[in-house]
Amino acid sequence: MYCCGPTVYDYAHIGNFRTFLFEDFLRRALKRNGYELIHVMNITDVGHLTSDADEGEDKLMKALKREGKKPSVKAMLELAEYYTKAFFKDSSLLNIEKPEAVPKATEHIEEMVELNKKIEKNGYAYKTSVGLIFDTGKFKDYAKFGKLNLKAQKAGARVKVDEERKKPWDFALWITNQPSHIMQWQSPWGKGFPGWHLECSAMSIKYLGEQFDIHCGGEDHIKVHHTNEIAQSEAATGKKPWVRFWLHGAFLIMQKDKMSKSAGSFVKIQDLVDKGFDPLAYRYLCLTANYRSKLSFSWKVLENAQKSLNSFRSKIKHLNELNELDKNNKRKYAKKFDERVNNDLDLPSALALAWSVVKAKDLGSKEKVELLLDFDQIFGLKLAESLKKDEAPKKVLKLIKEREEARKKKDWVAADALRDKIKSLGWKVQDSREGPKLEKV
């Protein structure tokens, strides 16, 4: 499985992470079904221009200016490394499993040059002042994947008009007309750097072969990026289909538009943390909509997801403390769960089943806990951590002791004040016949 990874010129926003979460759910589902998975996700650290259509600045060069750094290869690589680490830190907060391979574009230039040589040798490329250009007119199925109506398309509607190109939508494989670009390499077509589309083809073919099973990405990649990937990969290898199955995640919607950095609707994972949310509440939110459907985001919606996640954790903890007899119906629920997950990742339905397990009268408490922990192999909500006993700090234990002494003296005012103080430290006291019980808030 190959997934289009981040262009590391800024922090990834939660709209980006909706796609990475969908791919993580898919990864977990494939492994649950017994597949031996090789999951590759690239890091784009060069060549992605501000427009997906071969124009504008390299996004990393633009980021250097934004951050007031003096342009140099060293500065560009350091910037890319900083945002790569930030991406994986955020991924970890969302409990996203790391792919088996995470290749960087700058470390695979040789593979990109070799792929271009094959494309050119097979008659699918020509040179212009821009660089080496892919000849889409030679690739008869070019419009098929994106269902493009190229005849009806106005010039400049999808890509910048370039009089040197045979077709307006012919795209760059190797760019040589940007002498001020910081990172450039020698090639048979002149000194330059790879086109963004080429990078994914070269790296996926290196790690997965000339034909592989699954390619994922956001739905915005269909009409240009993935269409171009297919054309250049099949032109180079002659293998059709290059990819057997394509899966695309739908947008996260905020105020009627897709979330994007350029639109200013840019919410980072750290923003969720700063507002007091558990990042896994956002993971829970993404479980509530199918990956093909747009998902609306608001702080209120996230607040509701946080409440549901908290309730889920509280329920499983309570169930773990009960001792209800098993009723031998676990297999029935496990089968239903797998059917829902395997029905095109119908995770909203799978999540609903998990809630029905909590309330089921034909299951014992132990069975319920085992099922929920099993389901969490897909959900990734770290429910097992809810079963760990929270160790209260010494300061809280000292206050509990003082409160018990106040209760023995029937000094209810002091006892209530101590209870409030304990709560302010993040702990709730529940009085019982066996003595006070502490629960982390």
Side-chain angles (χ1 to χ4, degrees):
M1 177 168 81
Y2 183 85
C3 299
C4 290
T7 299
V8 284
Y9 70 105
D10 205 338
Y11 296 101
H13 58 62
I14 60 173
N16 302 138
F17 274 112
R18 190 199 173 189
T19 298
F20 294 121
L21 280 166
F22 135 61
E23 292 161 352
D24 186 61
F25 296 137
L26 175 60
R27 171 191 171 87
R28 290 166 180 263
L30 290 167
K31 288 166 69 178
R32 184 179 178 85
N33 278 276
Y35 288 102
E36 184 180 343
L37 178 66
I38 302 171
H39 175 190
V40 180
M41 182 192 73
N42 70 298
I43 298 291
T44 297
D45 53 359
V46 69
H48 193 169
L49 306 185
T50 48
S51 162
D52 294 348
D54 306 338
E55 60 178 319
E57 279 187 287
D58 185 296
K59 289 189 175 184
L60 269 92
M61 287 184 66
K62 190 175 180 181
L64 284 178
K65 294 177 184 176
R66 179 192 71 217
E67 300 193 7
K69 297 182 184 293
K70 189 175 180 181
S72 69
V73 172
K74 184 174 181 287
M76 203 161 173
L77 290 173
E78 285 176 351
L79 184 82
E81 185 61 20
Y82 174 84
Y83 285 115
T84 299
K85 287 180 179 177
F87 172 81
F88 283 112
K89 180 185 175 184
D90 288 344
S91 295
S92 178
L93 290 173
L94 291 168
N95 199 23
I96 294 174
E97 294 181 350
K98 196 168 184 179
E100 280 66 35
V102 188
K104 294 179 179 179
T106 51
E107 295 174 357
H108 294 78
I109 300 299
E110 185 179 340
E111 288 83 357
M112 296 174 206
V113 169
E114 289 304 312
L115 192 68
N116 272 345
K117 285 180 181 177
K118 291 179 182 178
I119 295 168
E120 187 177 44
K121 183 181 177 182
N122 292 342
Y124 289 92
Y126 60 93
K127 281 194 72 176
T128 72
S129 61
V130 169
L132 187 68
I133 306 297
F134 186 87
D135 190 345
T136 59
K138 296 281 183 69
F139 193 79
K140 67 175 185 177
D141 291 332
Y142 179 72
K144 184 177 179 181
F145 182 74
K147 300 177 181 176
L148 305 173
N149 185 354
L150 297 176
K151 289 181 181 178
Q153 193 167 286
K154 293 179 181 178
R158 179 168 163 267
V159 292
K160 185 180 179 181
V161 176
D162 179 353
E163 299 298 334
E164 290 185 78
R165 301 192 192 199
K166 296 178 182 179
K167 302 282 186 186
W169 37 84
D170 288 357
F171 58 93
L173 297 164
W174 190 263
I175 299 167
T176 59
N177 71 334
Q178 294 196 21
S180 62
H181 194 282
I182 294 168
M183 286 198 279
Q184 300 200 49
W185 295 265
Q186 295 294 345
S187 80
W189 314 282
K191 193 175 182 181
F193 58 95
W196 173 49
H197 315 299
L198 183 77
E199 298 175 9
C200 286
S201 291
M203 288 186 280
S204 61
I205 288 171
K206 174 175 180 176
Y207 290 91
L208 299 175
E210 292 184 349
Q211 284 183 306
F212 58 93
D213 297 306
I214 300 170
H215 195 314
C216 300
E219 63 181 357
D220 52 330
H221 287 161
I222 296 172
K223 293 186 181 297
V224 180
H225 185 45
H226 288 169
T227 287
N228 292 351
E229 276 190 69
I230 291 170
Q232 65 199 11
S233 300
E234 294 186 359
T237 65
K239 299 286 179 69
K240 292 186 179 183
W242 170 51
V243 174
R244 295 182 178 90
F245 302 97
W246 290 83
L247 285 83
H248 294 93
F251 291 138
L252 182 74
I253 303 300
M254 190 172 188
Q255 297 176 343
K256 299 182 181 178
D257 293 311
K258 75 163 185 170
M259 186 168 291
S260 69
K261 298 179 180 75
S262 59
S265 53
F266 181 14
V267 179
K268 306 186 296 293
I269 300 303
Q270 188 59 45
D271 294 330
L272 308 187
V273 176
D274 291 344
K275 283 183 175 286
F277 290 99
D278 183 336
L280 292 181
Y282 180 63
R283 186 179 180 104
Y284 184 97
L285 176 62
C286 289
L287 286 166
T288 64
N290 184 267
Y291 73 96
R292 293 178 185 268
S293 304
K294 288 178 172 55
L295 175 63
S296 294
F297 175 84
S298 70
W299 294 109
K300 183 64 179 175
V301 166
L302 186 62
E303 188 179 317
N304 291 336
Q306 181 73 71
K307 287 177 181 176
S308 295
L309 177 59
N310 290 347
S311 178
F312 215 166
R313 288 168 171 166
S314 178
K315 298 286 186 188
I316 194 171
K317 188 172 184 178
H318 176 67
L319 288 168
N320 196 51
E321 292 168 354
L322 299 177
N323 195 25
E324 297 170 349
L325 293 174
D326 290 351
K327 299 177 183 177
N328 300 317
N329 285 314
K330 199 169 75 168
R331 185 179 295 179
K332 176 180 75 172
Y333 284 92
K335 184 181 178 184
K336 282 183 181 178
F337 181 79
D338 286 337
E339 285 172 353
R340 295 181 186 197
V341 169
N342 292 345
N343 181 24
D344 196 25
L345 283 182
D346 188 0
L347 298 179
S349 179
L351 186 62
L353 180 70
W355 278 107
S356 72
V357 163
V358 171
K359 302 169 187 175
K361 297 188 183 301
D362 58 347
L363 290 167
S365 57
K366 184 183 175 185
E367 290 173 304
K368 290 179 179 181
V369 171
E370 288 173 352
L371 278 168
L372 293 172
L373 293 180
D374 179 46
F375 295 174
D376 200 42
Q377 296 303 307
I378 298 290
F379 297 154
L381 298 172
K382 295 187 177 182
L383 294 181
E385 292 188 5
S386 305
L387 305 182
K388 294 177 183 176
K389 286 193 175 181
D390 296 313
E391 296 294 331
K394 289 181 180 179
K395 185 176 182 180
V396 171
L397 295 176
K398 185 172 179 287
L399 291 171
I400 285 285
K401 190 175 179 181
E402 290 176 13
R403 182 173 179 272
E404 284 303 290
E405 289 172 359
R407 280 165 55 80
K408 283 176 185 176
K409 295 174 184 176
K410 296 188 178 181
D411 186 350
W412 308 119
V413 174
D416 287 347
L418 286 162
R419 181 194 62 206
D420 292 341
K421 193 170 183 181
I422 291 165
K423 188 175 181 181
S424 72
L425 294 171
W427 295 83
K428 184 167 67 175
V429 186
Q430 288 183 325
D431 296 311
S432 69
R433 289 180 181 177
E434 296 81 29
K437 289 185 178 181
L438 273 175
E439 183 181 341
K440 197 171 184 180
V441 178

